Amino acid sequence: MGKTYNLEIPLNRVEGDLELKVQIEDNRINDAWISGVMFRDFENILKGRAALDGIVITPRICGICSTGHLYAANKAIEMILDIEIPDNAVRLRNLALMVEMIQGDMRHGFLYFFPQFVNITYSHIPMFSEAVRRYAPLKGEIYIETIKETKKLLEIMGIIGGQWPHTSFMIPGGVSAIPNESDLVQCVYLLKHFKFWYEKRILGCHVERFLEVKNASDLDIWLNENELHQKSDLGFYIRYAKEIGLDSIGKGHCNFISFGGFDHNIIHSGFSFEGDIEEFNHEKISESLAYSWFKDNNRDEHPFQGETRAYATGKESKKYSWAKAPRYKGIPAETGPLSEKIISGNPLFYDLIKHKGPNVFIRELSRLVRVAETIPIMEKYLHEISHSEPFYLSPKNIVDGEGFGLINVARGALGHWVKIKQGKISNYQIITPTSWNASPRDSAGIRGPMEEALIGTQIDNISNLVNIEHVIRSFDPCLVCTVHSLKIRN
Amino acid sequence: MSNSLYWMQCGSCGGDSMSFLNSESPDIIELIETFNINLLWHPSLAYITHEQHTQVVKKIISGEQSLDILCIEGAIIRGPSGTGVYDTSISEPKKDLVIKLANQAKYVLAVGTCASYGGVCSAGGVEGTGLQFHKKNNGGFLGDSFLSKGGYPVINLPGCPCHGEIIVRTIMALISDSKILLTEFNAPINWYGILVHQGCTRNEYHEYQVEDKVFGDKGCLFFHLGCHGPIAYGSCNKLLWNRYGSKTRIGIPCLGCTMPDFPQPYPFFSTRNIEGIPLSLPDGIDRAHYIAYKGIAAATAPKRLKERKTNI
Ligand code: SF4
């Protein structure tokens, strides 16, 4: 019988900060608790404010996904107003969200996830020195290039959105500005510039070639096709990740949720449970507060009924997180690029998870290659924008009612539910992608997706928790976590 | 000699860190290399173990490790009832660590409106406040008499978020021992001595009171759509965002996010007014004179503006 350890680990910022407790027995994690440890009370900040104020306040929830919040907040109001927005506005909104997604995927990958590859645990691997050259924090080639290239891509947001982060160019009815012809040409250039870098550096081939990869064996063929593929960052990732066993950790519940995005035939909405994909219905969402530091009415509630009343019990009760526990039909589900792909029927990812379910390798892969699928759609949008059509249709005055805005953003399914009474916000509930992934236990005591994914993770050396970092970061929990932080309690 | 920098996030959305990453000239890598910065900690960028991090913090507090610049991002969360339990790190309120670090730092920077004045975090029930201001009132978390070892109060870099270039250039100024003059709200005059209105491409419309009532056009946004440009101090239309943008350039009124009272308690996107004239007028304006001037301006407005023929 080996030793049992209880570890408390602080993880920085997940729409607030996150802490993790794990119990390790015989070198394996046998239980895990994830706590959101920062509470900013956004839902109550919104109560009583003017109907449109949500589109200013909610993007401030998250500096990394602010465009996503802006989009969801607008959709909720547009549902109340019962209006459709012009095609040009859809194109520009989607374009902006895609820029935010791509910069997120790249920064997450190369600034937060890949630096784990230079963890001292791997120093004996022949590829290690190459990993250091590429991914060392603040020094690695790709680390530095990622900062430069994402920053340049974000110039598109400067042009169409006025700024990033915290852009505000979407308003109920469409978008507030019409980029002129020369603005659009500049966007075309910026996108081409980024694509050139992504193809050269990350893929080692054209986007079109990579999109021919439809299953696991295609991926092997692609990898072995030539040196450019092998030496690209994607090629290196595939080789290194397998070498260090990322394909054998981080499985989780194997349930996926997606709210759909852009055009619904690009990202589908749905819920996947034990391999079957069901049609999505927002009424089946509920939140449990049983383990969250909020007052609960002893029942799970749909966000329209939900309330946010803080109840800090500290360590005395079973409550342990400022995050609520969202469930679909009472079941926890992971969300993010992998969920998006599974629910949209992407053949490569469907094939990859078919036999053994998801893992860290597949989750991060889905993020790295999402860019390849996104760029051609952005090119199409830019091409389609037409100055002879409207960008904004001024809506009638705001009316009372309730509406929701559900959309897939960089990290997965995001939902805003709003009620307007006498022109003012009477209730606002938000479920972020990270709420799904980093959720605590629910009223049935079932773990959240990240907690579940940690179970069984091998920990050979109690003072090096790199495997925990891999699992947690594979969910890109809107945090830049310091999981290498560790405090031994017992 | 290297210059040590410790960056801490409290009640924040991380937007200022993202903005910092967007900084152009220098970018953050160049900043670190050119100015020999020893980045002791930044939650997104540092890669040290928890033991190393704890050691660094201990050494700063004991004085063994000098701390040249302390950047705080996000409001100080004191709730509930002053305990700080709404924002903790391993069960300890972050606010307690802020005091210990601030007492050792040569300079303390409040990065963003939340850290400067409380921002969105001061609006809800978490008892959020700025480092040395609570909204317009001097005091905040550290108290009005706080001076860092370098002799400055907390230097506020408001903006929701703060422009990355302002963060980087303030850090460079401090390292270069360049004097930083501050406004009444302790923000550097170089960046906050200018109004958002200055440099707005809609100025031509503003001048002749050609005002928009709905979004999506070229007119000025001051009279009806709630623009704070003429009353908010900030560089948004001088130092553009992501090299190209600002709110007013894409038709969104300035939201006044650099102001100590952001988010203002009144609705965004509509102008509070007295008989058609905005309630809040630019600093130092006499209302009667303003009404007379605007009347003449509107009467002088050329047709090309009324017809929105001039581009913005
Ligand atoms: S839109 Fe705002 S910043 Fe621009 S001219 Fe009008 S008042 Fe000034």
Side-chain angles (χ1 to χ4, degrees), chain A residues 42-95:
Chain A
F42 265 87
E43 287 151 333
N44 286 322
I45 292 171
L46 287 156
K47 255 189 207 169
R49 291 202 62 119
L52 285 187
D53 287 358
I55 70 176
V56 175
I57 303 283
T58 62
R60 268 84 194 167
I61 290 172
C62 175
I64 306 162
C65 338
S66 52
T67 311
H69 283 286
L70 179 69
Y71 206 148
N74 271 284
K75 282 181 76 136
I77 297 290
E78 281 156 0
M79 178 181 280
I80 297 176
L81 291 168
D82 193 20
I83 50 170
E84 297 265 330
I85 61 168
D87 289 346
N88 278 334
V90 175
R91 292 171 189 130
L92 284 171
R93 286 182 180 189
N94 289 349
L95 201 59

Side-chain angles (χ1 to χ4, degrees), chain B residues 141-156:
Chain B
F141 180 61
L142 293 172
D144 56 4
S145 58
F146 174 84
L147 287 179
S148 65
K149 288 187 166 172
Y152 279 93
V154 172
I155 298 170
N156 291 327

Side-chain angles (χ1 to χ4, degrees), chain A residues 34-272:
Chain A
I34 288 180
S35 321
V37 288
M38 195 255 272
F39 172 57
R40 288 182 296 157
D41 206 20
F42 265 87
E43 287 151 333
N44 286 322
I45 292 171
L46 287 156
K47 255 189 207 169
R49 291 202 62 119
L52 285 187
D53 287 358
I55 70 176
V56 175
I57 303 283
T58 62
R60 268 84 194 167
I61 290 172
C62 175
I64 306 162
C65 338
S66 52
T67 311
H69 283 286
L70 179 69
Y71 206 148
N74 271 284
K75 282 181 76 136
I77 297 290
E78 281 156 0
M79 178 181 280
I80 297 176
L81 291 168
D82 193 20
I83 50 170
E84 297 265 330
I85 61 168
D87 289 346
N88 278 334
V90 175
R91 292 171 189 130
L92 284 171
R93 286 182 180 189
N94 289 349
L95 201 59
L97 193 56
M98 287 173 166
V99 168
E100 183 168 277
M101 269 185 175
I102 293 182
Q103 71 79 33
D105 287 346
M106 295 291 100
R107 285 184 180 176
H108 165 80
F110 298 115
L111 269 49
Y112 311 151
F113 188 88
F114 278 67
Q116 289 149 201
F117 286 3
V118 307
N119 187 290
I120 197 79
T121 310
Y122 306 126
S123 54
H124 64 283
I125 295 175
M127 282 187 275
F128 185 74
S129 58
E130 168 96 34
V132 172
R133 184 170 64 75
R134 291 170 187 248
Y135 309 122
L138 297 171
K139 299 221 156 51
E141 281 169 16
I142 190 75
Y143 191 105
I144 292 171
E145 283 184 33
T146 299
I147 291 177
K148 286 195 194 307
E149 296 300 333
T150 50
K151 194 168 59 157
K152 192 158 167 104
L153 179 73
L154 283 166
E155 289 176 17
I156 294 180
M157 290 302 284
I159 296 171
I160 65 174
Q163 73 183 106
W164 190 93
H166 295 342
T167 173
S168 27
F169 77 111
M170 301 176 201
I171 39 166
V175 294
S176 59
I178 304 174
N180 67 29
E181 293 79 357
S182 114
D183 292 335
L184 291 176
V185 172
Q186 189 66 9
C187 292
V188 169
Y189 152 69
L190 290 164
L191 187 59
K192 274 184 192 297
H193 173 93
F194 183 84
K195 184 182 183 187
F196 182 79
W197 173 75
Y198 177 77
E199 289 183 328
K200 188 167 169 224
R201 179 80 226 208
I202 313 298
L203 293 183
C205 69
H206 287 299
V207 158
E208 294 75 17
R209 167 64 190 95
F210 187 78
L211 294 178
E212 287 166 11
V213 174
K214 302 284 185 212
N215 54 43
S217 82
D218 282 359
L219 190 63
D220 286 338
I221 295 169
W222 174 85
L223 180 65
N224 296 314
E225 198 165 272
N226 61 41
E227 259 210 341
L228 287 176
H229 296 181
Q230 281 173 15
K231 290 197 164 155
S232 70
D233 283 287
L234 178 62
F236 188 85
Y237 170 71
I238 297 171
R239 292 183 290 131
Y240 202 80
K242 296 214 163 144
E243 176 80 30
I244 63 176
L246 296 191
D247 51 353
S248 63
I249 52 173
K251 184 172 177 207
H253 289 300
C254 309
N255 308 328
F256 304 97
I257 192 159
S258 164
F259 289 170
F262 309 119
D263 210 322
H264 273 245
N265 49 34
I266 299 174
I267 300 176
H268 299 189
S269 63
F271 172 65
S272 163

Side-chain angles (χ1 to χ4, degrees), chain B residues 196-197 200 202-203 206 219-222 227 229-230 237 248:
Chain B
V196 172
H197 172 72
C200 174
R202 292 166 193 261
N203 276 178
H206 178 92
C220 173
L221 313 167
F222 185 44
C227 187
N237 274 312
T248 61

